[in-house]
Amino acid sequence: MKKNLFKALLSIAILTLFLPGSSIAKKKDSPSWFLTPRIGTAFILSEVNSSFKTVESDFQHGKGLSADIALSRTFLSHFELGVNVGFYQISSSDDSLMITGLSAFGDPQRDFSGFKYYSTIPVEYNTTCFAPNLFLRYYFRKFPTRARDKQIFQPYLELSAGQNFYQTELIYTDVSKIEDPEPELPSVWIPREDVEDFEPPYKPKEKAIQYAVGIGSRFNLNGSFILNLSAEVSNVNTPYLDGTPNLISDQVKSVLVPKIMLGVAIPLGKSGDKTKSGDYLPWAH
C-alpha cells in the first residue's frame, strides 16, 4: 500500500517537474529551476514504538556526515517541488554503552536462547544510508516577480517521502586480546552451533520507507549566490538502523534521524520567455 502510494506520488512529481506543457508552467509566475548541493550532519535522535513514543536505546549515538543534492523548481507563488538524493553515515559515539549479552571478551558464553556472545568488550554500530526522496516546500513569503522586490530571507516548510537503502554492521570494538577468536569477529553475528544456515535478524543491505518534515530558508545574498540552510527530522521505518535486534526494548517500530544541512542553491534559469514577459525588469509592475 505504502509502496504503491509512493510510486503514484513519484509519477505525479515527475510529470509536474518535467512536462513543459503542464498547467503549472502556464501561470504568470514562470517556474525557476534550482540545483542544490548541501553538506551537514546526521544522527539518531531516538527510537519510537508503534504509538510514536520513544523507547530506551541500546546505544549512545554519535553524529555523522551527511550530504545530498536536489533538483527542483518553483511553481505558483509559494511552492517548490523537487527530487533529492541523500547520503549519510551514522554510528555509536565513543562512549557507547556496553550492552549486556552482546559485549565481548574471553571465552564465549550463551544466553538463555543459545545465542553466543562475549562478556566484556563493548559493541558499536556503523550504518551507511542512501536515501532518494521527493520533497515539497511551502515558502511563507510570495515569490518576487521583480528584481527590486528581491527577498534576502525566504523561509519554508518542507515535507518529503522516499526510500532509505541502508547497510549496517554491529561489531565488537576491540578483539585483539581474545584467544582463539571466532572467524566472524569483529562481527557480533557468530553462527550458532545448534542452528543450520544461521543468519542475523537482518540482511547486510536493507531498505525502508522514510518520511520527513523540516524547516529552512534560502538566503539570497545576490542574484547568483543563494545559501540554503535547513533542519529536518526523518522517520525511518525500521528497527535496525543502529544494527541491533533491540535488546533493551523489543517495541521499536522506527527511528528518528535529524539532519542539519547547509548548501548553495544554484539557479538554472526560468521556464518560459523572460525577455518578453519583462517580469524582472526594474520598471516591471
Side-chain angles (χ1 to χ4, degrees), residues 222-241:
N222 60 49
S224 59
F225 187 75
I226 306 172
L227 287 179
N228 180 285
L229 177 64
S230 70
E232 69 174 52
V233 178
S234 299
N235 181 54
V236 187
N237 191 26
T238 175
Y240 298 129
L241 207 62

Side-chain angles (χ1 to χ4, degrees), residues 49-77:
N49 59 22
S50 56
S51 301
F52 213 72
K53 294 181 179 179
T54 59
V55 297
E56 187 177 3
S57 177
D58 295 314
F59 287 101
Q60 294 183 23
H61 304 289
K63 295 180 175 62
L65 175 68
S66 177
D68 63 22
I69 187 167
L71 177 65
S72 61
R73 80 170 185 174
T74 59
F75 64 97
L76 300 180
S77 299

Side-chain angles (χ1 to χ4, degrees), residues 10-257:
L10 181 60
S11 300
I12 294 173
I14 292 175
L15 291 174
T16 302
L17 277 171
F18 297 109
L19 284 184
S22 66
S23 59
I24 290 176
K26 296 179 182 179
K27 299 294 182 181
K28 179 180 177 181
D29 299 329
S30 299
S32 297
W33 287 85
F34 292 92
L35 182 68
T36 308
R38 303 185 302 179
I39 192 169
T41 186
F43 58 95
I44 291 180
L45 177 64
S46 63
E47 295 173 303
V48 296
N49 59 22
S50 56
S51 301
F52 213 72
K53 294 181 179 179
T54 59
V55 297
E56 187 177 3
S57 177
D58 295 314
F59 287 101
Q60 294 183 23
H61 304 289
K63 295 180 175 62
L65 175 68
S66 177
D68 63 22
I69 187 167
L71 177 65
S72 61
R73 80 170 185 174
T74 59
F75 64 97
L76 300 180
S77 299
H78 292 271
F79 293 93
E80 181 180 12
L81 183 67
V83 176
N84 177 291
V85 178
F87 162 86
Y88 60 89
Q89 292 181 312
I90 50 179
S91 62
S92 47
S93 61
D94 293 338
D95 57 349
S96 287
L97 297 177
M98 191 180 300
I99 305 174
T100 303
L102 265 191
S103 9
F105 189 77
D107 295 329
Q109 303 178 35
R110 293 187 182 276
D111 63 14
F112 66 91
S113 63
F115 184 82
K116 185 186 294 185
Y117 68 95
Y118 295 83
S119 59
T120 54
I121 294 180
V123 173
E124 67 179 7
Y125 72 87
N126 295 287
T127 302
T128 300
C129 300
F130 174 75
N133 65 81
L134 172 69
F135 67 86
L136 177 67
R137 292 174 181 165
Y138 173 79
Y139 285 82
F140 296 101
R141 303 175 66 182
K142 183 177 180 180
F143 299 139
T145 57
R146 298 180 298 184
R148 66 184 182 186
D149 295 333
K150 180 185 71 173
Q151 300 168 356
I152 296 178
F153 179 59
Q154 295 178 302
Y156 61 80
L157 174 69
E158 177 179 311
L159 300 176
S160 66
Q163 287 271 10
N164 190 315
F165 299 89
Y166 65 93
Q167 181 173 356
T168 186
E169 61 177 0
L170 192 63
I171 61 175
Y172 296 119
T173 58
D174 182 9
V175 296
S176 61
K177 297 181 180 180
I178 295 179
E179 296 182 3
D180 300 323
E182 300 281 350
E184 292 78 18
L185 292 174
S187 173
V188 165
W189 304 114
I190 299 173
R192 289 170 51 178
E193 297 174 357
D194 58 333
V195 177
E196 294 185 8
D197 300 323
F198 173 85
E199 292 184 1
Y202 51 83
K203 297 178 181 179
K205 296 182 180 179
E206 292 273 0
K207 64 179 180 179
I209 297 292
Q210 74 171 31
Y211 306 92
V213 60
I215 57 172
S217 180
R218 283 194 179 136
F219 298 89
N220 194 345
L221 304 184
N222 60 49
S224 59
F225 187 75
I226 306 172
L227 287 179
N228 180 285
L229 177 64
S230 70
E232 69 174 52
V233 178
S234 299
N235 181 54
V236 187
N237 191 26
T238 175
Y240 298 129
L241 207 62
D242 62 358
T244 67
N246 309 110
L247 301 175
I248 291 179
S249 173
D250 58 0
Q251 301 177 346
V252 175
K253 179 69 175 179
S254 59
V255 182
L256 300 181
V257 181

